[in-house]
Amino acid sequence: MKQTIQNESSFTITSNFDAPINIKNEFLYYVKRVFIDIFIGIPVLILAFFLLLFKKQIKKRSSKKIILGTVPIIIFKTYNDVLKKEFNTTLFVLKDWSEGNFHNGITLNDISTSFIAKRPFSLGTYFAFIWSILNFELFFLYFNSGFLERTIWWRLEPIIYQLFDKKVVLFPYGSDVWTVDKMSNLKKKYALTLFDKKYFDMDFKRIKRNIWWSKYVNAIFTLIDFIKFLPRFDILTLHGHILLDIEEKPIFIKKDKIKIVHFANDEFRKGTKNISLILENLSKERDDFEYEILVSISRDTLLKKCEEADIIIDTFIDGFLQYTTLEAAIKGKVVLANLDNDLNDFFKYINNEYYEKHFKQMPIINYNIYNLEVKLLELLNNKEEIVEISKNTYDFTLNIIEENKKFIINFTNKLLEKRY
């Protein structure tokens, strides 16, 4: 439910004054949910318990050791492509709403009947839960991607994993941990509310669920600013992303006319309106650049447009590098992004030897919405600098990716060695 913005004198209005939640729809949803979870969920969970007891008694080893799932987010797609070269992995989602953009593994359609697959979040979630605990030993999950997440039995899932000696690693990705209640970044809080007026409705669930799962799982990855929202963290890193299909280092040449591109999956959360206005005004003053503002485009189009660009402007709201930012950087593009100094200082505090050098070498240009025009003018007035920054950007990003690949393989090895 996206909102419109109106300014009247000193007042900003972000609502049409309708309630975010319709009580009738909410009531019907919970009635249906409880009915399914009692009359289908209870028998299934009892069956699962006895199947696991039987399997534990005969000590049968699974041929499929690792599962990554169960929602289509780019992190596990890339991690799986790295891990499958060393381990027996399966990338699984209940339903691929990304249409292949963020998932290249199997879905409910591949492990069940069409009748079950058409009901991924009712019958499907229970079927997939039994299938997974009988076949896998190590689970990579997001905080909201547990198989029983949408059921009233979600608290039982991490307990069942622990009782039957399954290993679980949790990875946050964003909306599974970010809560409006704890959001200290006011720009981001404002953007999330504009993006979805109901976003806050899941805050209590996010907090309760994340604390509950943190009690029972083996490890929790904490990337970027997620430490602010999580009660526990075992592995901390500023950049946890892995990129695939990396090409050879591009050839960099000085251009007379520069192309500037800004990507956004949502204009509110990325501050697109402000960036667009600055570029529009600047284009009226000089003709040595062209620009494109691209919102909610397909992944294929995004990568194509990235190839065409010389300068990529990332959001000024989040305070850290996005996945698409690194994709642009590995293509040797000059990248402007907002980098949270407090967040950077924290990582220097916990690992100064690495991050002090890391930030000194970082070729990403740190900007905010108030100095964006100045930063762009510095680049446009010195096009040789664009070439030099582009060369450093590729090397810097490649090093991050190789480090991340090495770590996730070593980490997985350690987990499996403890089990076996």
Side-chain angles (χ1 to χ4, degrees), residues 137-142 157-158 160-162 165-171 213 216-220 232 234 411 415:
E137 303 298 331
L138 176 56
F139 290 69
F140 282 16
L141 301 171
Y142 302 114
E157 186 171 353
I160 291 172
Y161 290 141
Q162 191 178 104
D165 206 19
K166 306 294 184 181
K167 292 198 173 294
V168 181
V169 184
L170 293 181
F171 292 75
W213 275 81
Y216 302 109
V217 300
N218 298 87
I220 294 176
R232 172 187 159 194
D234 300 291
F411 165 74
L415 275 178

PDB file of all heavy atoms in Angstrom, residues 137-142 157-158 160-162 165-171 213 216-220 232 234 411 415:
ATOM      1  N   GLU A 137      20.659 -32.115   6.878  1.00  0.00           N
ATOM      2  CA  GLU A 137      21.295 -32.000   8.188  1.00  0.00           C
ATOM      3  C   GLU A 137      21.641 -30.563   8.552  1.00  0.00           C
ATOM      4  O   GLU A 137      21.696 -30.215   9.723  1.00  0.00           O
ATOM      5  CB  GLU A 137      22.580 -32.853   8.213  1.00  0.00           C
ATOM      6  CG  GLU A 137      22.358 -34.317   7.882  1.00  0.00           C
ATOM      7  CD  GLU A 137      21.449 -35.009   8.872  1.00  0.00           C
ATOM      8  OE1 GLU A 137      21.430 -34.595  10.042  1.00  0.00           O
ATOM      9  OE2 GLU A 137      20.752 -35.958   8.472  1.00  0.00           O
ATOM     10  N   LEU A 138      21.919 -29.735   7.552  1.00  0.00           N
ATOM     11  CA  LEU A 138      22.299 -28.335   7.783  1.00  0.00           C
ATOM     12  C   LEU A 138      21.331 -27.425   7.038  1.00  0.00           C
ATOM     13  O   LEU A 138      21.127 -27.584   5.830  1.00  0.00           O
ATOM     14  CB  LEU A 138      23.737 -28.102   7.299  1.00  0.00           C
ATOM     15  CG  LEU A 138      24.282 -26.671   7.360  1.00  0.00           C
ATOM     16  CD1 LEU A 138      24.196 -26.097   8.770  1.00  0.00           C
ATOM     17  CD2 LEU A 138      25.728 -26.630   6.857  1.00  0.00           C
ATOM     18  N   PHE A 139      20.727 -26.493   7.781  1.00  0.00           N
ATOM     19  CA  PHE A 139      19.716 -25.590   7.234  1.00  0.00           C
ATOM     20  C   PHE A 139      20.253 -24.157   7.228  1.00  0.00           C
ATOM     21  O   PHE A 139      20.635 -23.630   8.277  1.00  0.00           O
ATOM     22  CB  PHE A 139      18.442 -25.642   8.088  1.00  0.00           C
ATOM     23  CG  PHE A 139      17.676 -26.924   7.989  1.00  0.00           C
ATOM     24  CD1 PHE A 139      18.184 -28.107   8.522  1.00  0.00           C
ATOM     25  CD2 PHE A 139      16.445 -26.968   7.359  1.00  0.00           C
ATOM     26  CE1 PHE A 139      17.482 -29.303   8.440  1.00  0.00           C
ATOM     27  CE2 PHE A 139      15.728 -28.159   7.265  1.00  0.00           C
ATOM     28  CZ  PHE A 139      16.249 -29.326   7.805  1.00  0.00           C
ATOM     29  N   PHE A 140      20.265 -23.540   6.051  1.00  0.00           N
ATOM     30  CA  PHE A 140      20.534 -22.108   5.931  1.00  0.00           C
ATOM     31  C   PHE A 140      19.176 -21.438   5.702  1.00  0.00           C
ATOM     32  O   PHE A 140      18.518 -21.679   4.682  1.00  0.00           O
ATOM     33  CB  PHE A 140      21.448 -21.814   4.742  1.00  0.00           C
ATOM     34  CG  PHE A 140      22.905 -22.104   4.993  1.00  0.00           C
ATOM     35  CD1 PHE A 140      23.318 -22.878   6.065  1.00  0.00           C
ATOM     36  CD2 PHE A 140      23.880 -21.601   4.141  1.00  0.00           C
ATOM     37  CE1 PHE A 140      24.659 -23.140   6.295  1.00  0.00           C
ATOM     38  CE2 PHE A 140      25.219 -21.858   4.352  1.00  0.00           C
ATOM     39  CZ  PHE A 140      25.613 -22.633   5.432  1.00  0.00           C
ATOM     40  N   LEU A 141      18.767 -20.592   6.638  1.00  0.00           N
ATOM     41  CA  LEU A 141      17.456 -19.958   6.562  1.00  0.00           C
ATOM     42  C   LEU A 141      17.570 -18.458   6.812  1.00  0.00           C
ATOM     43  O   LEU A 141      18.487 -18.003   7.495  1.00  0.00           O
ATOM     44  CB  LEU A 141      16.507 -20.554   7.615  1.00  0.00           C
ATOM     45  CG  LEU A 141      16.226 -22.058   7.553  1.00  0.00           C
ATOM     46  CD1 LEU A 141      15.450 -22.494   8.794  1.00  0.00           C
ATOM     47  CD2 LEU A 141      15.442 -22.409   6.290  1.00  0.00           C
ATOM     48  N   TYR A 142      16.630 -17.703   6.252  1.00  0.00           N
ATOM     49  CA  TYR A 142      16.457 -16.312   6.657  1.00  0.00           C
ATOM     50  C   TYR A 142      15.609 -16.301   7.931  1.00  0.00           C
ATOM     51  O   TYR A 142      14.990 -17.299   8.295  1.00  0.00           O
ATOM     52  CB  TYR A 142      15.776 -15.509   5.547  1.00  0.00           C
ATOM     53  CG  TYR A 142      16.517 -15.527   4.229  1.00  0.00           C
ATOM     54  CD1 TYR A 142      15.969 -16.144   3.106  1.00  0.00           C
ATOM     55  CD2 TYR A 142      17.767 -14.947   4.104  1.00  0.00           C
ATOM     56  CE1 TYR A 142      16.645 -16.175   1.899  1.00  0.00           C
ATOM     57  CE2 TYR A 142      18.460 -14.969   2.895  1.00  0.00           C
ATOM     58  CZ  TYR A 142      17.894 -15.586   1.798  1.00  0.00           C
ATOM     59  OH  TYR A 142      18.577 -15.616   0.603  1.00  0.00           O
ATOM     60  N   GLU A 157       9.468 -25.028  15.433  1.00  0.00           N
ATOM     61  CA  GLU A 157      10.425 -25.399  14.388  1.00  0.00           C
ATOM     62  C   GLU A 157      11.876 -25.409  14.866  1.00  0.00           C
ATOM     63  O   GLU A 157      12.573 -26.425  14.687  1.00  0.00           O
ATOM     64  CB  GLU A 157      10.263 -24.489  13.163  1.00  0.00           C
ATOM     65  CG  GLU A 157      11.122 -24.934  12.003  1.00  0.00           C
ATOM     66  CD  GLU A 157      10.827 -24.189  10.708  1.00  0.00           C
ATOM     67  OE1 GLU A 157       9.854 -23.401  10.674  1.00  0.00           O
ATOM     68  OE2 GLU A 157      11.569 -24.399   9.741  1.00  0.00           O
ATOM     69  N   PRO A 158      12.398 -24.332  15.474  1.00  0.00           N
ATOM     70  CA  PRO A 158      13.803 -24.395  15.906  1.00  0.00           C
ATOM     71  C   PRO A 158      14.040 -25.426  17.000  1.00  0.00           C
ATOM     72  O   PRO A 158      15.142 -26.003  17.093  1.00  0.00           O
ATOM     73  CB  PRO A 158      14.085 -22.977  16.403  1.00  0.00           C
ATOM     74  CG  PRO A 158      12.745 -22.412  16.755  1.00  0.00           C
ATOM     75  CD  PRO A 158      11.792 -23.022  15.772  1.00  0.00           C
ATOM     76  N   ILE A 160      12.455 -28.371  17.242  1.00  0.00           N
ATOM     77  CA  ILE A 160      12.521 -29.674  16.555  1.00  0.00           C
ATOM     78  C   ILE A 160      13.895 -29.865  15.920  1.00  0.00           C
ATOM     79  O   ILE A 160      14.488 -30.954  16.015  1.00  0.00           O
ATOM     80  CB  ILE A 160      11.404 -29.772  15.497  1.00  0.00           C
ATOM     81  CG1 ILE A 160      10.038 -29.850  16.191  1.00  0.00           C
ATOM     82  CG2 ILE A 160      11.616 -30.982  14.593  1.00  0.00           C
ATOM     83  CD1 ILE A 160       8.861 -29.749  15.250  1.00  0.00           C
ATOM     84  N   TYR A 161      14.424 -28.818  15.288  1.00  0.00           N
ATOM     85  CA  TYR A 161      15.755 -28.930  14.693  1.00  0.00           C
ATOM     86  C   TYR A 161      16.792 -29.309  15.743  1.00  0.00           C
ATOM     87  O   TYR A 161      17.639 -30.181  15.532  1.00  0.00           O
ATOM     88  CB  TYR A 161      16.160 -27.608  14.036  1.00  0.00           C
ATOM     89  CG  TYR A 161      15.388 -27.255  12.791  1.00  0.00           C
ATOM     90  CD1 TYR A 161      15.009 -25.936  12.531  1.00  0.00           C
ATOM     91  CD2 TYR A 161      15.054 -28.220  11.854  1.00  0.00           C
ATOM     92  CE1 TYR A 161      14.301 -25.597  11.393  1.00  0.00           C
ATOM     93  CE2 TYR A 161      14.352 -27.897  10.709  1.00  0.00           C
ATOM     94  CZ  TYR A 161      13.976 -26.582  10.480  1.00  0.00           C
ATOM     95  OH  TYR A 161      13.277 -26.253   9.351  1.00  0.00           O
ATOM     96  N   GLN A 162      16.736 -28.643  16.891  1.00  0.00           N
ATOM     97  CA  GLN A 162      17.733 -28.911  17.915  1.00  0.00           C
ATOM     98  C   GLN A 162      17.567 -30.297  18.530  1.00  0.00           C
ATOM     99  O   GLN A 162      18.542 -31.016  18.770  1.00  0.00           O
ATOM    100  CB  GLN A 162      17.678 -27.849  19.019  1.00  0.00           C
ATOM    101  CG  GLN A 162      18.861 -27.920  19.973  1.00  0.00           C
ATOM    102  CD  GLN A 162      18.820 -26.838  21.030  1.00  0.00           C
ATOM    103  OE1 GLN A 162      18.482 -27.105  22.168  1.00  0.00           O
ATOM    104  NE2 GLN A 162      19.161 -25.612  20.643  1.00  0.00           N
ATOM    105  N   ASP A 165      19.077 -32.887  16.323  1.00  0.00           N
ATOM    106  CA  ASP A 165      20.479 -32.677  15.942  1.00  0.00           C
ATOM    107  C   ASP A 165      20.657 -32.104  14.546  1.00  0.00           C
ATOM    108  O   ASP A 165      21.618 -32.448  13.840  1.00  0.00           O
ATOM    109  CB  ASP A 165      21.247 -34.002  16.081  1.00  0.00           C
ATOM    110  CG  ASP A 165      22.730 -33.774  16.321  1.00  0.00           C
ATOM    111  OD1 ASP A 165      23.090 -32.651  16.724  1.00  0.00           O
ATOM    112  OD2 ASP A 165      23.511 -34.705  16.092  1.00  0.00           O
ATOM    113  N   LYS A 166      19.731 -31.257  14.124  1.00  0.00           N
ATOM    114  CA  LYS A 166      19.904 -30.533  12.872  1.00  0.00           C
ATOM    115  C   LYS A 166      20.667 -29.240  13.174  1.00  0.00           C
ATOM    116  O   LYS A 166      20.478 -28.642  14.232  1.00  0.00           O
ATOM    117  CB  LYS A 166      18.558 -30.186  12.239  1.00  0.00           C
ATOM    118  CG  LYS A 166      17.632 -31.376  12.037  1.00  0.00           C
ATOM    119  CD  LYS A 166      18.172 -32.362  11.033  1.00  0.00           C
ATOM    120  CE  LYS A 166      17.182 -33.506  10.785  1.00  0.00           C
ATOM    121  NZ  LYS A 166      17.694 -34.492   9.833  1.00  0.00           N
ATOM    122  N   LYS A 167      21.483 -28.814  12.263  1.00  0.00           N
ATOM    123  CA  LYS A 167      22.208 -27.562  12.452  1.00  0.00           C
ATOM    124  C   LYS A 167      21.533 -26.470  11.629  1.00  0.00           C
ATOM    125  O   LYS A 167      21.151 -26.681  10.480  1.00  0.00           O
ATOM    126  CB  LYS A 167      23.671 -27.737  12.048  1.00  0.00           C
ATOM    127  CG  LYS A 167      24.425 -28.661  12.999  1.00  0.00           C
ATOM    128  CD  LYS A 167      25.901 -28.493  12.886  1.00  0.00           C
ATOM    129  CE  LYS A 167      26.616 -29.310  13.965  1.00  0.00           C
ATOM    130  NZ  LYS A 167      26.331 -28.809  15.312  1.00  0.00           N
ATOM    131  N   VAL A 168      21.405 -25.288  12.242  1.00  0.00           N
ATOM    132  CA  VAL A 168      20.688 -24.185  11.609  1.00  0.00           C
ATOM    133  C   VAL A 168      21.532 -22.917  11.674  1.00  0.00           C
ATOM    134  O   VAL A 168      22.066 -22.565  12.730  1.00  0.00           O
ATOM    135  CB  VAL A 168      19.330 -23.926  12.297  1.00  0.00           C
ATOM    136  CG1 VAL A 168      18.589 -22.786  11.596  1.00  0.00           C
ATOM    137  CG2 VAL A 168      18.486 -25.193  12.301  1.00  0.00           C
ATOM    138  N   VAL A 169      21.642 -22.238  10.518  1.00  0.00           N
ATOM    139  CA  VAL A 169      22.315 -20.946  10.432  1.00  0.00           C
ATOM    140  C   VAL A 169      21.315 -19.936   9.897  1.00  0.00           C
ATOM    141  O   VAL A 169      20.659 -20.185   8.886  1.00  0.00           O
ATOM    142  CB  VAL A 169      23.544 -21.001   9.499  1.00  0.00           C
ATOM    143  CG1 VAL A 169      24.274 -19.667   9.515  1.00  0.00           C
ATOM    144  CG2 VAL A 169      24.473 -22.134   9.897  1.00  0.00           C
ATOM    145  N   LEU A 170      21.180 -18.810  10.583  1.00  0.00           N
ATOM    146  CA  LEU A 170      20.243 -17.770  10.161  1.00  0.00           C
ATOM    147  C   LEU A 170      20.973 -16.596   9.518  1.00  0.00           C
ATOM    148  O   LEU A 170      22.009 -16.152  10.016  1.00  0.00           O
ATOM    149  CB  LEU A 170      19.428 -17.263  11.353  1.00  0.00           C
ATOM    150  CG  LEU A 170      18.440 -18.242  11.982  1.00  0.00           C
ATOM    151  CD1 LEU A 170      17.697 -17.562  13.130  1.00  0.00           C
ATOM    152  CD2 LEU A 170      17.449 -18.775  10.954  1.00  0.00           C
ATOM    153  N   PHE A 171      20.404 -16.120   8.416  1.00  0.00           N
ATOM    154  CA  PHE A 171      20.934 -14.962   7.695  1.00  0.00           C
ATOM    155  C   PHE A 171      19.839 -13.898   7.604  1.00  0.00           C
ATOM    156  O   PHE A 171      18.767 -14.181   7.057  1.00  0.00           O
ATOM    157  CB  PHE A 171      21.337 -15.342   6.267  1.00  0.00           C
ATOM    158  CG  PHE A 171      22.516 -16.247   6.156  1.00  0.00           C
ATOM    159  CD1 PHE A 171      22.403 -17.594   6.456  1.00  0.00           C
ATOM    160  CD2 PHE A 171      23.745 -15.767   5.743  1.00  0.00           C
ATOM    161  CE1 PHE A 171      23.484 -18.454   6.336  1.00  0.00           C
ATOM    162  CE2 PHE A 171      24.837 -16.606   5.616  1.00  0.00           C
ATOM    163  CZ  PHE A 171      24.712 -17.955   5.922  1.00  0.00           C
ATOM    164  N   TRP A 213      14.118 -17.682  17.814  1.00  0.00           N
ATOM    165  CA  TRP A 213      15.029 -18.482  16.993  1.00  0.00           C
ATOM    166  C   TRP A 213      16.468 -18.326  17.470  1.00  0.00           C
ATOM    167  O   TRP A 213      17.246 -19.289  17.424  1.00  0.00           O
ATOM    168  CB  TRP A 213      14.916 -18.066  15.531  1.00  0.00           C
ATOM    169  CG  TRP A 213      13.810 -18.745  14.787  1.00  0.00           C
ATOM    170  CD1 TRP A 213      12.491 -18.407  14.809  1.00  0.00           C
ATOM    171  CD2 TRP A 213      13.910 -19.867  13.912  1.00  0.00           C
ATOM    172  NE1 TRP A 213      11.766 -19.247  13.993  1.00  0.00           N
ATOM    173  CE2 TRP A 213      12.611 -20.154  13.432  1.00  0.00           C
ATOM    174  CE3 TRP A 213      14.969 -20.661  13.484  1.00  0.00           C
ATOM    175  CZ2 TRP A 213      12.350 -21.198  12.551  1.00  0.00           C
ATOM    176  CZ3 TRP A 213      14.715 -21.701  12.596  1.00  0.00           C
ATOM    177  CH2 TRP A 213      13.423 -21.972  12.143  1.00  0.00           C
ATOM    178  N   TYR A 216      17.945 -20.959  19.911  1.00  0.00           N
ATOM    179  CA  TYR A 216      18.096 -22.386  19.617  1.00  0.00           C
ATOM    180  C   TYR A 216      18.985 -22.725  18.428  1.00  0.00           C
ATOM    181  O   TYR A 216      19.368 -23.887  18.274  1.00  0.00           O
ATOM    182  CB  TYR A 216      16.714 -23.004  19.394  1.00  0.00           C
ATOM    183  CG  TYR A 216      15.791 -22.831  20.571  1.00  0.00           C
ATOM    184  CD1 TYR A 216      14.697 -21.967  20.501  1.00  0.00           C
ATOM    185  CD2 TYR A 216      16.021 -23.508  21.765  1.00  0.00           C
ATOM    186  CE1 TYR A 216      13.844 -21.796  21.586  1.00  0.00           C
ATOM    187  CE2 TYR A 216      15.183 -23.337  22.864  1.00  0.00           C
ATOM    188  CZ  TYR A 216      14.101 -22.479  22.766  1.00  0.00           C
ATOM    189  OH  TYR A 216      13.276 -22.302  23.855  1.00  0.00           O
ATOM    190  N   VAL A 217      19.279 -21.763  17.568  1.00  0.00           N
ATOM    191  CA  VAL A 217      20.038 -22.099  16.352  1.00  0.00           C
ATOM    192  C   VAL A 217      21.538 -22.088  16.627  1.00  0.00           C
ATOM    193  O   VAL A 217      22.004 -21.570  17.641  1.00  0.00           O
ATOM    194  CB  VAL A 217      19.701 -21.139  15.191  1.00  0.00           C
ATOM    195  CG1 VAL A 217      18.228 -21.207  14.858  1.00  0.00           C
ATOM    196  CG2 VAL A 217      20.136 -19.713  15.511  1.00  0.00           C
ATOM    197  N   ASN A 218      22.306 -22.638  15.697  1.00  0.00           N
ATOM    198  CA  ASN A 218      23.749 -22.778  15.890  1.00  0.00           C
ATOM    199  C   ASN A 218      24.526 -21.496  15.627  1.00  0.00           C
ATOM    200  O   ASN A 218      25.503 -21.210  16.318  1.00  0.00           O
ATOM    201  CB  ASN A 218      24.287 -23.882  14.971  1.00  0.00           C
ATOM    202  CG  ASN A 218      23.671 -25.230  15.294  1.00  0.00           C
ATOM    203  OD1 ASN A 218      22.609 -25.560  14.771  1.00  0.00           O
ATOM    204  ND2 ASN A 218      24.302 -26.001  16.168  1.00  0.00           N
ATOM    205  N   ALA A 219      24.117 -20.743  14.618  1.00  0.00           N
ATOM    206  CA  ALA A 219      24.885 -19.553  14.269  1.00  0.00           C
ATOM    207  C   ALA A 219      23.998 -18.525  13.587  1.00  0.00           C
ATOM    208  O   ALA A 219      23.018 -18.865  12.917  1.00  0.00           O
ATOM    209  CB  ALA A 219      26.058 -19.919  13.356  1.00  0.00           C
ATOM    210  N   ILE A 220      24.377 -17.255  13.767  1.00  0.00           N
ATOM    211  CA  ILE A 220      23.669 -16.145  13.130  1.00  0.00           C
ATOM    212  C   ILE A 220      24.676 -15.239  12.439  1.00  0.00           C
ATOM    213  O   ILE A 220      25.611 -14.735  13.064  1.00  0.00           O
ATOM    214  CB  ILE A 220      22.856 -15.336  14.159  1.00  0.00           C
ATOM    215  CG1 ILE A 220      21.719 -16.198  14.724  1.00  0.00           C
ATOM    216  CG2 ILE A 220      22.299 -14.062  13.532  1.00  0.00           C
ATOM    217  CD1 ILE A 220      20.924 -15.527  15.817  1.00  0.00           C
ATOM    218  N   ARG A 232      21.275 -11.391  19.032  1.00  0.00           N
ATOM    219  CA  ARG A 232      22.457 -12.244  19.070  1.00  0.00           C
ATOM    220  C   ARG A 232      23.177 -12.171  17.738  1.00  0.00           C
ATOM    221  O   ARG A 232      22.556 -11.998  16.692  1.00  0.00           O
ATOM    222  CB  ARG A 232      22.030 -13.687  19.354  1.00  0.00           C
ATOM    223  CG  ARG A 232      23.138 -14.726  19.227  1.00  0.00           C
ATOM    224  CD  ARG A 232      22.595 -16.136  19.346  1.00  0.00           C
ATOM    225  NE  ARG A 232      23.517 -17.092  18.744  1.00  0.00           N
ATOM    226  CZ  ARG A 232      23.204 -18.340  18.465  1.00  0.00           C
ATOM    227  NH1 ARG A 232      21.997 -18.802  18.740  1.00  0.00           N
ATOM    228  NH2 ARG A 232      24.092 -19.152  17.913  1.00  0.00           N
ATOM    229  N   ASP A 234      26.798 -14.036  15.834  1.00  0.00           N
ATOM    230  CA  ASP A 234      27.951 -14.923  15.931  1.00  0.00           C
ATOM    231  C   ASP A 234      29.018 -14.592  14.898  1.00  0.00           C
ATOM    232  O   ASP A 234      30.198 -14.815  15.131  1.00  0.00           O
ATOM    233  CB  ASP A 234      27.498 -16.374  15.738  1.00  0.00           C
ATOM    234  CG  ASP A 234      26.483 -16.792  16.794  1.00  0.00           C
ATOM    235  OD1 ASP A 234      26.873 -16.913  17.960  1.00  0.00           O
ATOM    236  OD2 ASP A 234      25.306 -16.965  16.437  1.00  0.00           O
ATOM    237  N   PHE A 411      33.515 -21.819   6.729  1.00  0.00           N
ATOM    238  CA  PHE A 411      32.521 -21.829   7.801  1.00  0.00           C
ATOM    239  C   PHE A 411      31.634 -23.070   7.707  1.00  0.00           C
ATOM    240  O   PHE A 411      31.365 -23.747   8.709  1.00  0.00           O
ATOM    241  CB  PHE A 411      31.674 -20.554   7.718  1.00  0.00           C
ATOM    242  CG  PHE A 411      30.409 -20.603   8.531  1.00  0.00           C
ATOM    243  CD1 PHE A 411      30.448 -20.503   9.913  1.00  0.00           C
ATOM    244  CD2 PHE A 411      29.178 -20.754   7.913  1.00  0.00           C
ATOM    245  CE1 PHE A 411      29.281 -20.545  10.664  1.00  0.00           C
ATOM    246  CE2 PHE A 411      28.007 -20.796   8.648  1.00  0.00           C
ATOM    247  CZ  PHE A 411      28.064 -20.695  10.033  1.00  0.00           C
ATOM    248  N   LEU A 415      31.113 -26.318  10.400  1.00  0.00           N
ATOM    249  CA  LEU A 415      29.830 -26.779  10.924  1.00  0.00           C
ATOM    250  C   LEU A 415      29.642 -28.276  10.675  1.00  0.00           C
ATOM    251  O   LEU A 415      29.186 -29.018  11.566  1.00  0.00           O
ATOM    252  CB  LEU A 415      28.678 -26.018  10.278  1.00  0.00           C
ATOM    253  CG  LEU A 415      28.290 -24.674  10.888  1.00  0.00           C
ATOM    254  CD1 LEU A 415      27.163 -24.051  10.088  1.00  0.00           C
ATOM    255  CD2 LEU A 415      27.869 -24.831  12.342  1.00  0.00           C
TER     256      LEU A 415
END
